[in-house]
Amino acid sequence: MADGGNVEVMQVVPEAGIISLQLQGACGSCPSSQQTLKLGIEKELFDAFGGLLKSVQEVKPGRPPVTVEMVDKFLDQLRPAIENYGGWMEVTGVEDGVCNINYKGPAMIATGIRDAVKEGFKNDFETVVVLIVEEDEDTE
């Protein structure tokens, strides 16, 4: 705070081991803010909480942190069409600018899922991974 910056804890999800932080004041606009977050604050939190902490996420001002539940709700609009093709999808993780989704169904639809999530959350995810899950031979 001596340099005009601050950090606020925006959300703690104990069961998932996630802490969401927002850099404020001078920290929010400082060119080295990501180094401060990753090499300073995040390191200290991991040292303090050990295995209980899985992820430290930065929340941009004015935006709530994106959760698995938020992406799942967004994908509810696509589920009926995917189920018509005998498919399914599951959001398995949202962390550090990456959204992971497991999907079973036609490969060309996986691209549409990825693009829909990228567009719907364009300021939140650098990468959206849609993993196409093959059925086990036992289930066919």
Side-chain angles (χ1 to χ4, degrees):
M1 285 193 14
D3 60 359
N6 197 13
V7 63
E8 181 179 350
V9 176
M10 301 299 290
Q11 182 180 36
V12 176
V13 185
E15 63 277 5
I18 298 171
I19 296 177
S20 298
L21 305 173
Q22 184 178 79
L23 299 175
Q24 299 176 332
C27 282
S29 58
C30 176
S32 59
S33 65
Q34 287 305 303
Q35 289 177 326
T36 300
L37 182 65
K38 294 292 181 190
L39 301 176
I41 299 167
E42 186 174 290
K43 181 186 177 310
E44 290 294 321
L45 288 169
F46 274 107
D47 287 349
F49 293 102
L52 296 173
L53 184 60
K54 305 291 184 236
S55 173
V56 176
Q57 300 177 345
E58 181 183 3
V59 177
K60 300 293 183 189
R63 295 185 61 90
V66 177
T67 64
V68 167
E69 293 78 17
M70 289 170 70
V71 177
D72 245 353
K73 185 173 173 71
F74 174 80
L75 289 173
D76 281 347
Q77 62 189 328
L78 302 177
R79 280 195 171 82
I82 290 168
E83 289 169 0
N84 283 341
Y85 285 100
W88 58 266
M89 64 186 154
E90 174 188 17
V91 181
T92 58
V94 169
E95 182 176 339
D96 296 328
V98 178
C99 177
N100 292 301
I101 301 168
N102 285 349
Y103 164 74
K104 182 192 143 302
M108 65 182 192
I109 294 176
T111 302
I113 293 169
R114 184 198 67 219
D115 292 346
V117 172
K118 274 186 167 181
E119 181 61 28
F121 296 91
K122 60 182 148 203
N123 296 319
D124 300 297
F125 298 127
E126 296 170 21
T127 307
V128 177
V129 177
V130 179
L131 176 65
I132 299 174
V133 178
E134 301 293 329
E135 283 194 67
D136 294 334
E137 292 178 17
D138 297 341
T139 61
E140 292 182 15

